[in-house]
Amino acid sequence: MRLEINPHHPQPHKIGRAASALRAGGVVAYPTDSTYAIGCDLNDKKAIDTLYRIKNMPKHHPLTILCADLANIATYALVDNPNYRLIKRLIPGPYCFILPATRQVPKLLMRKRKQVGIRVPDHPVTQALLAELGHPIVSSTAAIGGETLQDPADIDTRLSGLALVLDADLGRVDPSTIVDLTGDEPEIVRYGVGDASLVC
């Protein structure tokens, strides 16, 4: 089901419907500051399984945790002082940070060597949804067969099994910039929307 929403001033009752769908175990599509994404409740294993099934994606493929702010990040990732300062400077924004995971991260979401990807998107709809839900969302790009879907109508018809699509007009096709913060220095492992020059 597709639900049109104001991308700049999302209507609270529509955000409430999306949050209710997440709490009920559904997978919801929503805009971010890079591409559209699909996501589910971090604490719902069945919903995470559904997300993998919708995208026809192997279970070892990493997912990202969307957080509302830096305080949220510290719950799920170990952040030392230099990385804290870097992240604080770049969020909210189109960056995904790979960090050492804490024990709060479900094992399904662990990358290699107990790492996790964390995002704080700079988009009013995503921020409102995170605030209404009250905890992070597990997220993945709205894509199928390597094709990023930017039209909410396409997302609704081609990604079968979604509980709801928040339609905020066409999205971008460029992904977020991925920054690995597990080494001695920040390393960009994927160039995307986020300005790479701000990382180093």
PDB file of all heavy atoms in Angstrom, residues 111-138:
ATOM      1  N   ARG A 111      28.207  -7.611  10.845  1.00  0.00           N
ATOM      2  CA  ARG A 111      29.100  -7.799   9.709  1.00  0.00           C
ATOM      3  C   ARG A 111      30.266  -8.678  10.159  1.00  0.00           C
ATOM      4  O   ARG A 111      30.285  -9.157  11.280  1.00  0.00           O
ATOM      5  CB  ARG A 111      29.618  -6.438   9.223  1.00  0.00           C
ATOM      6  CG  ARG A 111      28.524  -5.536   8.660  1.00  0.00           C
ATOM      7  CD  ARG A 111      29.057  -4.149   8.357  1.00  0.00           C
ATOM      8  NE  ARG A 111      27.993  -3.274   7.885  1.00  0.00           N
ATOM      9  CZ  ARG A 111      27.928  -2.783   6.670  1.00  0.00           C
ATOM     10  NH1 ARG A 111      28.857  -3.071   5.786  1.00  0.00           N
ATOM     11  NH2 ARG A 111      26.937  -1.993   6.309  1.00  0.00           N
ATOM     12  N   LYS A 112      31.234  -8.873   9.291  1.00  0.00           N
ATOM     13  CA  LYS A 112      32.415  -9.652   9.669  1.00  0.00           C
ATOM     14  C   LYS A 112      33.097  -9.015  10.869  1.00  0.00           C
ATOM     15  O   LYS A 112      33.105  -7.800  11.027  1.00  0.00           O
ATOM     16  CB  LYS A 112      33.397  -9.733   8.494  1.00  0.00           C
ATOM     17  CG  LYS A 112      32.872 -10.493   7.287  1.00  0.00           C
ATOM     18  CD  LYS A 112      33.876 -10.445   6.152  1.00  0.00           C
ATOM     19  CE  LYS A 112      33.341 -11.153   4.926  1.00  0.00           C
ATOM     20  NZ  LYS A 112      34.292 -11.077   3.783  1.00  0.00           N
ATOM     21  N   ARG A 113      33.677  -9.843  11.708  1.00  0.00           N
ATOM     22  CA  ARG A 113      34.445  -9.398  12.877  1.00  0.00           C
ATOM     23  C   ARG A 113      33.611  -8.513  13.818  1.00  0.00           C
ATOM     24  O   ARG A 113      34.091  -7.548  14.380  1.00  0.00           O
ATOM     25  CB  ARG A 113      35.709  -8.639  12.428  1.00  0.00           C
ATOM     26  CG  ARG A 113      36.629  -9.481  11.544  1.00  0.00           C
ATOM     27  CD  ARG A 113      37.901  -8.731  11.200  1.00  0.00           C
ATOM     28  NE  ARG A 113      37.638  -7.527  10.438  1.00  0.00           N
ATOM     29  CZ  ARG A 113      37.404  -7.508   9.127  1.00  0.00           C
ATOM     30  NH1 ARG A 113      37.388  -8.626   8.435  1.00  0.00           N
ATOM     31  NH2 ARG A 113      37.185  -6.363   8.511  1.00  0.00           N
ATOM     32  N   LYS A 114      32.320  -8.843  13.964  1.00  0.00           N
ATOM     33  CA  LYS A 114      31.433  -8.169  14.910  1.00  0.00           C
ATOM     34  C   LYS A 114      31.399  -6.653  14.678  1.00  0.00           C
ATOM     35  O   LYS A 114      31.631  -5.851  15.585  1.00  0.00           O
ATOM     36  CB  LYS A 114      31.836  -8.494  16.351  1.00  0.00           C
ATOM     37  CG  LYS A 114      31.661  -9.962  16.695  1.00  0.00           C
ATOM     38  CD  LYS A 114      31.941 -10.239  18.149  1.00  0.00           C
ATOM     39  CE  LYS A 114      31.711 -11.711  18.463  1.00  0.00           C
ATOM     40  NZ  LYS A 114      31.999 -12.038  19.869  1.00  0.00           N
ATOM     41  N   GLN A 115      31.120  -6.312  13.441  1.00  0.00           N
ATOM     42  CA  GLN A 115      30.977  -4.901  13.060  1.00  0.00           C
ATOM     43  C   GLN A 115      29.541  -4.632  12.635  1.00  0.00           C
ATOM     44  O   GLN A 115      28.799  -5.559  12.296  1.00  0.00           O
ATOM     45  CB  GLN A 115      31.940  -4.563  11.915  1.00  0.00           C
ATOM     46  CG  GLN A 115      33.397  -4.747  12.272  1.00  0.00           C
ATOM     47  CD  GLN A 115      34.303  -4.675  11.059  1.00  0.00           C
ATOM     48  OE1 GLN A 115      33.837  -4.562   9.931  1.00  0.00           O
ATOM     49  NE2 GLN A 115      35.607  -4.735  11.274  1.00  0.00           N
ATOM     50  N   VAL A 116      29.162  -3.368  12.663  1.00  0.00           N
ATOM     51  CA  VAL A 116      27.802  -3.005  12.291  1.00  0.00           C
ATOM     52  C   VAL A 116      27.821  -1.687  11.519  1.00  0.00           C
ATOM     53  O   VAL A 116      28.685  -0.828  11.743  1.00  0.00           O
ATOM     54  CB  VAL A 116      26.906  -2.878  13.552  1.00  0.00           C
ATOM     55  CG1 VAL A 116      27.363  -1.723  14.433  1.00  0.00           C
ATOM     56  CG2 VAL A 116      25.438  -2.753  13.192  1.00  0.00           C
ATOM     57  N   GLY A 117      26.885  -1.551  10.580  1.00  0.00           N
ATOM     58  CA  GLY A 117      26.734  -0.299   9.839  1.00  0.00           C
ATOM     59  C   GLY A 117      25.665   0.565  10.490  1.00  0.00           C
ATOM     60  O   GLY A 117      24.566   0.089  10.796  1.00  0.00           O
ATOM     61  N   ILE A 118      25.984   1.827  10.706  1.00  0.00           N
ATOM     62  CA  ILE A 118      25.087   2.759  11.406  1.00  0.00           C
ATOM     63  C   ILE A 118      24.848   3.985  10.522  1.00  0.00           C
ATOM     64  O   ILE A 118      25.773   4.523   9.912  1.00  0.00           O
ATOM     65  CB  ILE A 118      25.706   3.232  12.739  1.00  0.00           C
ATOM     66  CG1 ILE A 118      25.991   2.042  13.656  1.00  0.00           C
ATOM     67  CG2 ILE A 118      24.806   4.261  13.414  1.00  0.00           C
ATOM     68  CD1 ILE A 118      24.822   1.542  14.437  1.00  0.00           C
ATOM     69  N   ARG A 119      23.577   4.450  10.482  1.00  0.00           N
ATOM     70  CA  ARG A 119      23.215   5.645   9.697  1.00  0.00           C
ATOM     71  C   ARG A 119      22.334   6.566  10.522  1.00  0.00           C
ATOM     72  O   ARG A 119      21.500   6.109  11.304  1.00  0.00           O
ATOM     73  CB  ARG A 119      22.401   5.233   8.459  1.00  0.00           C
ATOM     74  CG  ARG A 119      23.221   4.812   7.279  1.00  0.00           C
ATOM     75  CD  ARG A 119      23.312   5.865   6.211  1.00  0.00           C
ATOM     76  NE  ARG A 119      22.183   5.996   5.308  1.00  0.00           N
ATOM     77  CZ  ARG A 119      21.696   7.158   4.931  1.00  0.00           C
ATOM     78  NH1 ARG A 119      22.172   8.294   5.409  1.00  0.00           N
ATOM     79  NH2 ARG A 119      20.697   7.227   4.062  1.00  0.00           N
ATOM     80  N   VAL A 120      22.504   7.870  10.343  1.00  0.00           N
ATOM     81  CA  VAL A 120      21.564   8.876  10.879  1.00  0.00           C
ATOM     82  C   VAL A 120      21.161   9.749   9.692  1.00  0.00           C
ATOM     83  O   VAL A 120      21.803  10.754   9.402  1.00  0.00           O
ATOM     84  CB  VAL A 120      22.196   9.725  12.004  1.00  0.00           C
ATOM     85  CG1 VAL A 120      21.178  10.715  12.549  1.00  0.00           C
ATOM     86  CG2 VAL A 120      22.720   8.840  13.130  1.00  0.00           C
ATOM     87  N   PRO A 121      20.100   9.375   8.982  1.00  0.00           N
ATOM     88  CA  PRO A 121      19.744  10.098   7.756  1.00  0.00           C
ATOM     89  C   PRO A 121      19.203  11.502   8.036  1.00  0.00           C
ATOM     90  O   PRO A 121      18.536  11.738   9.043  1.00  0.00           O
ATOM     91  CB  PRO A 121      18.636   9.221   7.139  1.00  0.00           C
ATOM     92  CG  PRO A 121      18.688   7.933   7.866  1.00  0.00           C
ATOM     93  CD  PRO A 121      19.224   8.228   9.217  1.00  0.00           C
ATOM     94  N   ASP A 122      19.492  12.392   7.106  1.00  0.00           N
ATOM     95  CA  ASP A 122      19.014  13.773   7.198  1.00  0.00           C
ATOM     96  C   ASP A 122      17.793  13.924   6.295  1.00  0.00           C
ATOM     97  O   ASP A 122      17.862  14.523   5.218  1.00  0.00           O
ATOM     98  CB  ASP A 122      20.131  14.734   6.782  1.00  0.00           C
ATOM     99  CG  ASP A 122      19.744  16.193   7.005  1.00  0.00           C
ATOM    100  OD1 ASP A 122      18.753  16.443   7.706  1.00  0.00           O
ATOM    101  OD2 ASP A 122      20.439  17.074   6.473  1.00  0.00           O
ATOM    102  N   HIS A 123      16.680  13.344   6.732  1.00  0.00           N
ATOM    103  CA  HIS A 123      15.434  13.461   5.981  1.00  0.00           C
ATOM    104  C   HIS A 123      14.282  13.570   6.972  1.00  0.00           C
ATOM    105  O   HIS A 123      14.195  12.762   7.907  1.00  0.00           O
ATOM    106  CB  HIS A 123      15.227  12.254   5.071  1.00  0.00           C
ATOM    107  CG  HIS A 123      14.166  12.472   4.032  1.00  0.00           C
ATOM    108  ND1 HIS A 123      12.825  12.542   4.340  1.00  0.00           N
ATOM    109  CD2 HIS A 123      14.250  12.658   2.683  1.00  0.00           C
ATOM    110  CE1 HIS A 123      12.131  12.757   3.242  1.00  0.00           C
ATOM    111  NE2 HIS A 123      12.973  12.833   2.223  1.00  0.00           N
ATOM    112  N   PRO A 124      13.400  14.554   6.806  1.00  0.00           N
ATOM    113  CA  PRO A 124      12.325  14.760   7.768  1.00  0.00           C
ATOM    114  C   PRO A 124      11.427  13.540   7.977  1.00  0.00           C
ATOM    115  O   PRO A 124      10.995  13.272   9.105  1.00  0.00           O
ATOM    116  CB  PRO A 124      11.527  15.919   7.156  1.00  0.00           C
ATOM    117  CG  PRO A 124      12.514  16.670   6.332  1.00  0.00           C
ATOM    118  CD  PRO A 124      13.427  15.621   5.773  1.00  0.00           C
ATOM    119  N   VAL A 125      11.150  12.792   6.909  1.00  0.00           N
ATOM    120  CA  VAL A 125      10.277  11.625   7.045  1.00  0.00           C
ATOM    121  C   VAL A 125      10.949  10.546   7.885  1.00  0.00           C
ATOM    122  O   VAL A 125      10.346   9.988   8.815  1.00  0.00           O
ATOM    123  CB  VAL A 125       9.873  11.078   5.655  1.00  0.00           C
ATOM    124  CG1 VAL A 125       9.121   9.753   5.797  1.00  0.00           C
ATOM    125  CG2 VAL A 125       9.011  12.092   4.907  1.00  0.00           C
ATOM    126  N   THR A 126      12.202  10.249   7.579  1.00  0.00           N
ATOM    127  CA  THR A 126      12.924   9.219   8.329  1.00  0.00           C
ATOM    128  C   THR A 126      13.103   9.627   9.786  1.00  0.00           C
ATOM    129  O   THR A 126      12.925   8.812  10.699  1.00  0.00           O
ATOM    130  CB  THR A 126      14.296   8.944   7.699  1.00  0.00           C
ATOM    131  OG1 THR A 126      14.186   8.954   6.291  1.00  0.00           O
ATOM    132  CG2 THR A 126      14.838   7.599   8.150  1.00  0.00           C
ATOM    133  N   GLN A 127      13.454  10.881  10.018  1.00  0.00           N
ATOM    134  CA  GLN A 127      13.640  11.364  11.378  1.00  0.00           C
ATOM    135  C   GLN A 127      12.332  11.282  12.168  1.00  0.00           C
ATOM    136  O   GLN A 127      12.318  10.866  13.340  1.00  0.00           O
ATOM    137  CB  GLN A 127      14.169  12.796  11.367  1.00  0.00           C
ATOM    138  CG  GLN A 127      15.658  12.912  11.046  1.00  0.00           C
ATOM    139  CD  GLN A 127      16.536  12.402  12.172  1.00  0.00           C
ATOM    140  OE1 GLN A 127      16.151  12.407  13.325  1.00  0.00           O
ATOM    141  NE2 GLN A 127      17.741  11.973  11.827  1.00  0.00           N
ATOM    142  N   ALA A 128      11.230  11.661  11.536  1.00  0.00           N
ATOM    143  CA  ALA A 128       9.932  11.593  12.207  1.00  0.00           C
ATOM    144  C   ALA A 128       9.543  10.152  12.518  1.00  0.00           C
ATOM    145  O   ALA A 128       8.994   9.859  13.595  1.00  0.00           O
ATOM    146  CB  ALA A 128       8.861  12.252  11.336  1.00  0.00           C
ATOM    147  N   LEU A 129       9.839   9.241  11.607  1.00  0.00           N
ATOM    148  CA  LEU A 129       9.514   7.829  11.811  1.00  0.00           C
ATOM    149  C   LEU A 129      10.329   7.234  12.965  1.00  0.00           C
ATOM    150  O   LEU A 129       9.792   6.509  13.812  1.00  0.00           O
ATOM    151  CB  LEU A 129       9.763   7.057  10.515  1.00  0.00           C
ATOM    152  CG  LEU A 129       9.355   5.583  10.495  1.00  0.00           C
ATOM    153  CD1 LEU A 129       7.886   5.409  10.861  1.00  0.00           C
ATOM    154  CD2 LEU A 129       9.647   4.976   9.121  1.00  0.00           C
ATOM    155  N   LEU A 130      11.614   7.563  13.010  1.00  0.00           N
ATOM    156  CA  LEU A 130      12.459   7.084  14.104  1.00  0.00           C
ATOM    157  C   LEU A 130      11.981   7.637  15.453  1.00  0.00           C
ATOM    158  O   LEU A 130      11.945   6.923  16.454  1.00  0.00           O
ATOM    159  CB  LEU A 130      13.913   7.487  13.860  1.00  0.00           C
ATOM    160  CG  LEU A 130      14.652   6.707  12.768  1.00  0.00           C
ATOM    161  CD1 LEU A 130      15.926   7.431  12.358  1.00  0.00           C
ATOM    162  CD2 LEU A 130      14.991   5.292  13.253  1.00  0.00           C
ATOM    163  N   ALA A 131      11.589   8.900  15.461  1.00  0.00           N
ATOM    164  CA  ALA A 131      11.109   9.512  16.700  1.00  0.00           C
ATOM    165  C   ALA A 131       9.810   8.869  17.162  1.00  0.00           C
ATOM    166  O   ALA A 131       9.627   8.596  18.364  1.00  0.00           O
ATOM    167  CB  ALA A 131      10.913  11.016  16.489  1.00  0.00           C
ATOM    168  N   GLU A 132       8.916   8.598  16.233  1.00  0.00           N
ATOM    169  CA  GLU A 132       7.626   7.999  16.580  1.00  0.00           C
ATOM    170  C   GLU A 132       7.784   6.557  17.056  1.00  0.00           C
ATOM    171  O   GLU A 132       7.139   6.125  18.014  1.00  0.00           O
ATOM    172  CB  GLU A 132       6.686   8.046  15.373  1.00  0.00           C
ATOM    173  CG  GLU A 132       5.325   7.415  15.592  1.00  0.00           C
ATOM    174  CD  GLU A 132       4.472   8.169  16.590  1.00  0.00           C
ATOM    175  OE1 GLU A 132       4.697   9.383  16.803  1.00  0.00           O
ATOM    176  OE2 GLU A 132       3.554   7.553  17.172  1.00  0.00           O
ATOM    177  N   LEU A 133       8.681   5.807  16.381  1.00  0.00           N
ATOM    178  CA  LEU A 133       8.907   4.406  16.764  1.00  0.00           C
ATOM    179  C   LEU A 133       9.609   4.318  18.111  1.00  0.00           C
ATOM    180  O   LEU A 133       9.308   3.440  18.921  1.00  0.00           O
ATOM    181  CB  LEU A 133       9.719   3.695  15.684  1.00  0.00           C
ATOM    182  CG  LEU A 133       9.922   2.192  15.878  1.00  0.00           C
ATOM    183  CD1 LEU A 133       8.590   1.449  15.834  1.00  0.00           C
ATOM    184  CD2 LEU A 133      10.876   1.651  14.814  1.00  0.00           C
ATOM    185  N   GLY A 134      10.558   5.221  18.347  1.00  0.00           N
ATOM    186  CA  GLY A 134      11.230   5.263  19.639  1.00  0.00           C
ATOM    187  C   GLY A 134      12.491   4.436  19.734  1.00  0.00           C
ATOM    188  O   GLY A 134      13.158   4.427  20.769  1.00  0.00           O
ATOM    189  N   HIS A 135      12.845   3.739  18.669  1.00  0.00           N
ATOM    190  CA  HIS A 135      14.116   3.001  18.631  1.00  0.00           C
ATOM    191  C   HIS A 135      14.519   2.768  17.176  1.00  0.00           C
ATOM    192  O   HIS A 135      13.726   3.048  16.266  1.00  0.00           O
ATOM    193  CB  HIS A 135      14.031   1.680  19.415  1.00  0.00           C
ATOM    194  CG  HIS A 135      12.933   0.771  18.969  1.00  0.00           C
ATOM    195  ND1 HIS A 135      11.720   0.704  19.590  1.00  0.00           N
ATOM    196  CD2 HIS A 135      12.865  -0.113  17.944  1.00  0.00           C
ATOM    197  CE1 HIS A 135      10.948  -0.178  18.995  1.00  0.00           C
ATOM    198  NE2 HIS A 135      11.620  -0.682  17.986  1.00  0.00           N
ATOM    199  N   PRO A 136      15.739   2.267  16.933  1.00  0.00           N
ATOM    200  CA  PRO A 136      16.251   2.187  15.564  1.00  0.00           C
ATOM    201  C   PRO A 136      15.471   1.258  14.639  1.00  0.00           C
ATOM    202  O   PRO A 136      14.709   0.386  15.071  1.00  0.00           O
ATOM    203  CB  PRO A 136      17.683   1.694  15.751  1.00  0.00           C
ATOM    204  CG  PRO A 136      18.055   2.158  17.113  1.00  0.00           C
ATOM    205  CD  PRO A 136      16.804   1.991  17.924  1.00  0.00           C
ATOM    206  N   ILE A 137      15.689   1.474  13.358  1.00  0.00           N
ATOM    207  CA  ILE A 137      15.107   0.670  12.283  1.00  0.00           C
ATOM    208  C   ILE A 137      16.240  -0.059  11.566  1.00  0.00           C
ATOM    209  O   ILE A 137      17.305   0.503  11.346  1.00  0.00           O
ATOM    210  CB  ILE A 137      14.376   1.580  11.273  1.00  0.00           C
ATOM    211  CG1 ILE A 137      13.187   2.284  11.939  1.00  0.00           C
ATOM    212  CG2 ILE A 137      13.909   0.792  10.054  1.00  0.00           C
ATOM    213  CD1 ILE A 137      12.566   3.366  11.064  1.00  0.00           C
ATOM    214  N   VAL A 138      16.001  -1.317  11.222  1.00  0.00           N
ATOM    215  CA  VAL A 138      16.938  -2.063  10.380  1.00  0.00           C
ATOM    216  C   VAL A 138      16.621  -1.722   8.931  1.00  0.00           C
ATOM    217  O   VAL A 138      15.460  -1.777   8.517  1.00  0.00           O
ATOM    218  CB  VAL A 138      16.802  -3.575  10.598  1.00  0.00           C
ATOM    219  CG1 VAL A 138      17.724  -4.329   9.654  1.00  0.00           C
ATOM    220  CG2 VAL A 138      17.130  -3.940  12.023  1.00  0.00           C
TER     221      VAL A 138
END
